[in-house]
Amino acid sequence: MKKPIAGGSGGAAGIAAALPHAGASRPGRMTRWLESERLLATLLLAPAILLLGLFIAYPFVIGVWLSMSNVSVGNPGEFVGIKNFVKAWNDSIFRTAFWNTGFYTFWATIFKLALGMWVALLLNRHFRGKRIVRAAMLLPFIVPTVLSTFAWRWMFDPTFSVLNWMLYQGGFITTKLPFLSDGTYGMWCAIVVNTWRGMPFFAITLLAGLQTISPDLHEAASLDGANGWHRFWHVTWPLLKPVTVVVVVFSIIQTFSDFQLIYVLTGGGPANATHLLATYAYQIGIATGLLGEGAAISLFMLPVLFIVVWLQLRYLRRLEGA
Amino acid sequence: MVIEKKWKRWVYFYIPLTVFVIGTLFPFYWMLITAIRPDSELYRSWRAVNNAPFWTLHPTLEHFQDLFAKTNFPHWLWNTFFIACASTAISLFCGLLAGYALARLKFPLAGTIGTSIFVTYLVPPTLLFIPLANIIRAFQLGDTPWALILTYPTFLIPFSTWLLMGYFKTIPKELEECARIDGATRFGAMIWIIFPIAIPGILSAGIFAFTLSWNEFIYALVFLSSPEKKTVPVGVVSELIRGDIYFWGQLMAGALLGSIPVAVVYSFFVEYYVTGLTGSVKG
C-alpha cells in the first residue's frame, strides 16, 4: 500500500512544478464552477446514470409493460393485464422451470460454498508453486462459460463419454449413465458444471478474506489448545462471515438467473425437464416470438431477487451500524 | 506456525489439493486433446477398446485449419476483442468518474445514488433481454456491434464503480488537499493526483470488465444475427453445429482458442486481481 502513495506524491510535486500558472492565473469560469461539489458530482455521475437509466431502468419499465400485453414479433399488441402471469402459473413446463431454478440454485450454491471454502483454506497455506496453482484454479471462472460448458457436454456425450469410460474402467458402472438424456441426471449434471465453474470465485474471494485475518489469532487459539476444526469454527468463520454473505448473495443471483449453462448443456431438454426460468423465457419470448409472455416469465425472477438483495442491504447496514 | 505431522500434511493438504487441481483442469485437457485428435480416433464408442484414451496416437491440426478456413472464426475473434475493448473503455470512464464522486464528494442523494448503482449490479441480464431487444430494434442498433458496446456497460459500470469507490477510499485525503493548497483545482487534483494513484484499481476493474464482456452470451445471442457479426461464444454455439451434427474437433479447437486470450490476460494480472479483490473486501 505504501509504494503507490509514495510514487503518487512524487508525481504530485512534479505536476505542481510543471504547471505553475494553474494557481497564479485567474481561474476560468468553467474551473470555478467545478469547485462546487454538487455540480462536479452531477457531472461525474451523469455518464454512468445516463447509461444505466437508458439500458436498465427504461427496459425494466418496458419489460413490465410487455409482460401485461400480448405483444409478439410483428404485432404491436394490447394491454391484457395479468393474463400472461396466470397463464404461466398454470403451465406445467413453467412450474417445472420454476422448481428447477430453485433446486439448481440451492444445491449449486451449497456445493460452491463448501468446496470453495475448502479450496480457500488449502490455498491459504504456504507451499511451492502456490501462484501457479492459484492461477490454475481460477481458470474455470475466467474462461467463457459457453465454451467450457461445451467441453463438459462433450464429456457427457451419450456415445463417446470419457466419464462413462472412466467409471466403467474403474468398475463403478456396467452400463453407461444417461448423463444428459435423462431429466434428473441432466439437472445434476448442470449442477456439477455450475459448481465447477463458480467454485473458483468463492475460493478466491474467501481466500482474499482469509488473508486479512491475522495468523496471530490462530496461534493464540492453538496455544489455548484449540484443534483445527475449533480454530476454523471459532476464529476463522466469524471473521469471514461478512465476505461469505456478499459472495453467497452474488452467487445466488447469478445462479438463479443463469441461462448460458443450460442453453448449451441441455437446451432445456430432454422434454423440457431441465428448463430454468431464463431458458424458458428465451424459448417463449425470443425463439417463439411471444414477447409479452416471455417477459412475464422472466419477471417471475424478480420477487426472489428482490428478497435476496433486500436481505443483503439490511445485513450490510447492520454491519455498518455495529 | 502451527506444526503438523507429515502424514497429516499429506491427508489434509496434498491429496485434496491434487484432486481439486485435476478436477479443475481436466475439462481443459479434454478440450485440448479433442482438438488435436483426428476424427477417426474421436468417434469411437465409449466402450470400444481404445489404445490411448488420454492421449492421441496421431495428433493433427486439421480442426484448427478447418476452423480458420471454413468458418467465420477469425471474424468472431476480432468482434469479441473489439466489443470487449470498447465496452471496457466506456465502463472504466464512467466507473472512474462515478466512483470518485461517490467516494470523495459530499452532495445530497449520495447515499441513494450509491445504493441504486449497487442494486443495478444485481439486476441480471436475463431479466431484461426481452425488453432490451425491443429497445435495440427501436434504436436501429440490432445486428451492429454497438448494440453490445452500449449494453455491456450496464453490468460493467456498477462493478467498476463499486471496486474503484473502495479503492479511492483507501487514498488519504491529505494528498488531494496538498495539491489544492499548491493551487490545483478540484478537477485537476482528481485527474493528476488521484487517478494515477488508483491505477492498480483501474487495472483490476479493467481486467474484470474485459473478461466479463468476453464471456457475455445472452445479449450477443439475442441482438446479433449475421454469421460474420457474432462473438466467439455465440458463433461457436450457432455456427459450428449444423443440424444435429456436432463437429467436436472444431468445437473444441474453437473453445480452446476462444479461452486463451482471457486466460493470458489473467495470468499476467492475477496478482493485481487478488490484491484488488482483497482491497474491495477490506473496504
Side-chain angles (χ1 to χ4, degrees), chain B residues 64-76:
Chain B
F64 288 95
Q65 284 160 356
D66 285 354
L67 192 65
F68 278 92
K70 294 181 187 164
T71 74
N72 282 312
F73 193 77
H75 284 282
W76 303 337

Side-chain angles (χ1 to χ4, degrees), chain A residues 51-213:
Chain A
L51 266 174
L52 295 179
L54 197 59
F55 294 112
I56 289 214
Y58 177 58
F60 183 75
V61 175
I62 297 288
V64 173
W65 149 248
L66 276 178
S67 70
M68 293 188 288
S69 74
N70 60 2
V71 175
S72 56
V73 171
N75 165 27
E78 57 198 24
F79 184 79
V80 295
I82 60 162
K83 209 177 123 197
N84 290 332
F85 294 96
V86 175
K87 185 178 172 192
W89 193 247
N90 290 325
D91 170 7
S92 67
I93 303 173
F94 170 84
R95 287 194 176 193
T96 312
F98 197 81
W99 162 252
N100 282 346
T101 312
F103 184 82
Y104 177 72
T105 310
F106 180 80
W107 286 110
T109 307
I110 287 193
F111 290 148
K112 282 187 277 194
L113 177 60
L115 297 177
M117 182 71 82
W118 193 359
V119 170
L121 290 168
L122 293 174
L123 291 181
N124 198 32
R125 298 192 178 201
H126 293 285
F127 59 95
R128 253 179 213 240
K130 188 173 166 178
R131 287 174 65 163
I132 291 181
V133 171
R134 242 192 232 175
M137 292 295 294
L138 256 182
L139 269 181
F141 176 61
I142 297 155
V143 163
T145 310
V146 168
L147 304 181
S148 56
T149 306
F150 256 118
W152 279 96
R153 182 164 177 165
W154 170 227
M155 283 161 45
F156 286 138
D157 188 275
T159 327
F160 309 107
S161 174
V162 63
L163 294 178
N164 270 332
W165 187 89
M166 283 196 269
L167 291 171
Y168 179 72
Q169 294 297 325
F172 297 105
I173 53 169
T174 48
T175 62
K176 63 183 177 183
L177 295 177
F179 288 117
L180 301 174
S181 47
D182 175 283
T184 318
Y185 272 93
M187 204 64 224
W188 282 107
C189 288
I191 291 170
V192 167
V193 180
N194 187 294
T195 306
W196 173 84
R197 199 211 87 93
M199 189 266 280
F201 175 67
F202 276 77
I204 216 78
T205 318
L206 293 174
L207 176 66
L210 280 176
Q211 289 179 344
T212 65
I213 298 174

Side-chain angles (χ1 to χ4, degrees), chain A residues 225-246:
Chain A
N227 64 22
W229 173 249
H230 280 127
R231 284 201 303 272
F232 173 76
W233 192 245
H234 295 292
V235 180
T236 313
W237 174 243
L239 291 167
L240 216 52
K241 228 160 114 186
V243 182
T244 314
V245 169
V246 173

Side-chain angles (χ1 to χ4, degrees), chain A residues 35 37 41 44 55 59 122 125-127 142-144 146 153-154 159-160 165 174 176 196 219 257 260 298, chain B residues 1 4 9 13 23-24 34 44 46-47 53 106 124 126-127 131 154 180 186 215 217 237 246 259 266:
Chain A
E35 291 302 304
E37 292 205 19
L44 295 182
F55 294 112
L122 293 174
R125 298 192 178 201
H126 293 285
F127 59 95
I142 297 155
V143 163
V146 168
R153 182 164 177 165
W154 170 227
T159 327
F160 309 107
W165 187 89
T174 48
K176 63 183 177 183
W196 173 84
E219 293 220 12
S257 64
Q260 32 185 343
S298 64
Chain B
M1 274 312 289
E4 56 186 349
R9 199 165 162 81
F13 182 66
T24 303
T34 306
R44 285 190 191 186
W46 68 283
R47 258 170 121 162
K106 287 195 189 70
T126 43
L127 194 69
T154 55
R180 305 250 304 142
R186 187 180 287 282
N215 284 334
F217 182 64
V237 173
Y246 288 72
S259 308
Y266 256 95

Side-chain angles (χ1 to χ4, degrees), chain B residues 105-123:
Chain B
L105 303 178
K106 287 195 189 70
F107 54 97
L109 294 179
T112 318
I113 293 176
T115 311
S116 346
I117 290 185
F118 179 71
V119 169
T120 53
Y121 182 52
L122 304 172
V123 179

